[in-house]
Amino acid sequence: MGIVKGLRVLAVDDEPLQLDELAYLLRGDQGVSEVVTAGDTTEALRHLRDRGVDVVFLDIRMPGLDGMELARLLGRFASPPAVVFVTAHDDRAVDAFDLGAADYLLKPVRADRLAEAVRRAARARVASTGPQPQPETGADDVIPVELAGTTRMLPRSSVRWVEAHGDYARLHTADGNHLVRVPLSLLAERWADAGFVRIHRSYLVALRVIAELRLGSSGYVVVVDGRELPVSRRHTRELKDRLVRAAKTGWR
């Protein structure tokens, strides 16, 4: 899919210097054709009422209506703009994930990360306004993770299995694992149509990586990357059914 050119962008921040810097960087991006700015969410709503925009780059902590509350309002629009959060705080990444944000940038914003965010926002805008594909045609969900102090968006397709840790979940990939503040139940609900199945109250697994299902001394287990994961009795029948259906339909 090609990147949409000429994005109309609204930048919102109550700090004038940071707003000016963000607008300057956005105007220098080839994927952006127009940038308007707002110093608070009230002014932002006036812009949104008077003119349509494709993307909103949005600070979170502002007086009055904050960025998260504005993003929830935007989600009710008939044709909502993509949202990119720009903040000095890394503790709201999971909330941004829940709201479907295109990206989550930490201040100070680097030009290369901003360019990546513009590309993500363009793809999100195309997905929301163009012909709607069937869920199984390949849109890859993302989840924010912390890597060396930087928030990155980890593709769902790189996750092989997930382990519950109370209100957190540990995402296991081929390269390592990441602890995120998302309950396993939320991931199980959101990723069910992408080929992930709950095998236990503590485990969620991508069907495509299950190498073996076998009956052990303590019940069924699945083998994933050489590791045995328990399958609870209540989830055994569903897992077997999903494995049979996946084998027929391409592991979705």
Side-chain angles (χ1 to χ4, degrees), residues 19 35 59-60 69 88 95 113 116 131 153 157 163 181 188 200-201 203 206 214 216 223 232:
L19 181 59
V35 179
D59 189 22
I60 292 181
E69 292 167 325
D95 296 328
R113 274 294 286 127
E116 180 182 347
M153 295 298 180
S157 58
E163 182 179 5
R181 189 164 58 86
H200 188 276
R201 65 181 181 181
Y203 296 100
R214 65 167 177 254
V223 179
S232 65

Side-chain angles (χ1 to χ4, degrees), residues 126-214:
V126 167
S128 68
T129 59
Q132 296 300 305
Q134 296 300 313
E136 61 268 21
T137 57
D140 196 5
D141 202 357
V142 294
I143 186 167
V145 300
E146 295 300 314
L147 294 172
T150 300
T151 300
R152 297 292 187 186
M153 295 298 180
L154 182 73
R156 177 187 60 207
S157 58
S158 68
V159 178
R160 302 178 71 77
W161 55 284
V162 186
E163 182 179 5
H165 283 265
D167 292 334
Y168 290 72
R170 187 172 298 280
L171 311 178
H172 293 263
T173 71
D175 300 324
N177 61 80
H178 309 275
L179 188 65
V180 296
R181 189 164 58 86
V182 181
L184 187 71
S185 57
L186 176 61
L187 292 180
E189 178 182 349
R190 291 193 59 158
W191 292 0
D193 292 336
F196 282 78
V197 61
R198 191 81 172 260
I199 63 167
H200 188 276
R201 65 181 181 181
S202 297
Y203 296 100
L204 179 70
V205 178
L207 287 170
R208 60 184 170 79
V209 303
I210 295 177
E212 187 178 350
L213 169 66
R214 65 167 177 254

Side-chain angles (χ1 to χ4, degrees), residues 14-217:
D14 64 322
E15 295 289 342
L17 292 178
Q18 296 190 32
L19 181 59
D20 288 347
E21 175 67 15
L22 177 59
Y24 172 79
L25 291 173
L26 285 166
R27 290 185 178 111
D29 192 288
Q30 294 182 352
V32 175
S33 65
E34 180 183 1
V35 179
V36 293
T37 61
D40 56 42
T41 50
T42 301
E43 185 182 359
L45 285 170
R46 284 199 297 267
H47 280 299
L48 291 164
R49 179 194 61 200
D50 297 338
R51 62 197 301 170
V53 300
D54 299 306
V55 188
V56 179
F57 279 74
L58 183 58
D59 189 22
I60 292 181
R61 297 188 181 178
M62 292 183 288
L65 195 71
D66 70 13
M68 287 290 175
E69 292 167 325
L70 177 58
R72 291 187 182 95
L73 286 177
L74 296 180
R76 300 173 188 168
F77 284 22
S79 180
V83 173
V84 174
F85 287 106
V86 185
T87 178
H89 307 280
D90 63 2
D91 59 346
R92 303 300 298 276
V94 171
D95 296 328
F97 166 72
D98 289 343
L99 288 172
D103 210 339
Y104 188 94
L105 303 180
L106 291 178
K107 299 176 182 178
V109 178
R110 304 192 316 269
D112 61 331
R113 274 294 286 127
L114 183 74
E116 180 182 347
V118 169
R119 291 193 296 270
R120 288 182 182 274
R123 288 193 290 267
R125 186 61 175 162
V126 167
S128 68
T129 59
Q132 296 300 305
Q134 296 300 313
E136 61 268 21
T137 57
D140 196 5
D141 202 357
V142 294
I143 186 167
V145 300
E146 295 300 314
L147 294 172
T150 300
T151 300
R152 297 292 187 186
M153 295 298 180
L154 182 73
R156 177 187 60 207
S157 58
S158 68
V159 178
R160 302 178 71 77
W161 55 284
V162 186
E163 182 179 5
H165 283 265
D167 292 334
Y168 290 72
R170 187 172 298 280
L171 311 178
H172 293 263
T173 71
D175 300 324
N177 61 80
H178 309 275
L179 188 65
V180 296
R181 189 164 58 86
V182 181
L184 187 71
S185 57
L186 176 61
L187 292 180
E189 178 182 349
R190 291 193 59 158
W191 292 0
D193 292 336
F196 282 78
V197 61
R198 191 81 172 260
I199 63 167
H200 188 276
R201 65 181 181 181
S202 297
Y203 296 100
L204 179 70
V205 178
L207 287 170
R208 60 184 170 79
V209 303
I210 295 177
E212 187 178 350
L213 169 66
R214 65 167 177 254
L215 182 62
S217 58

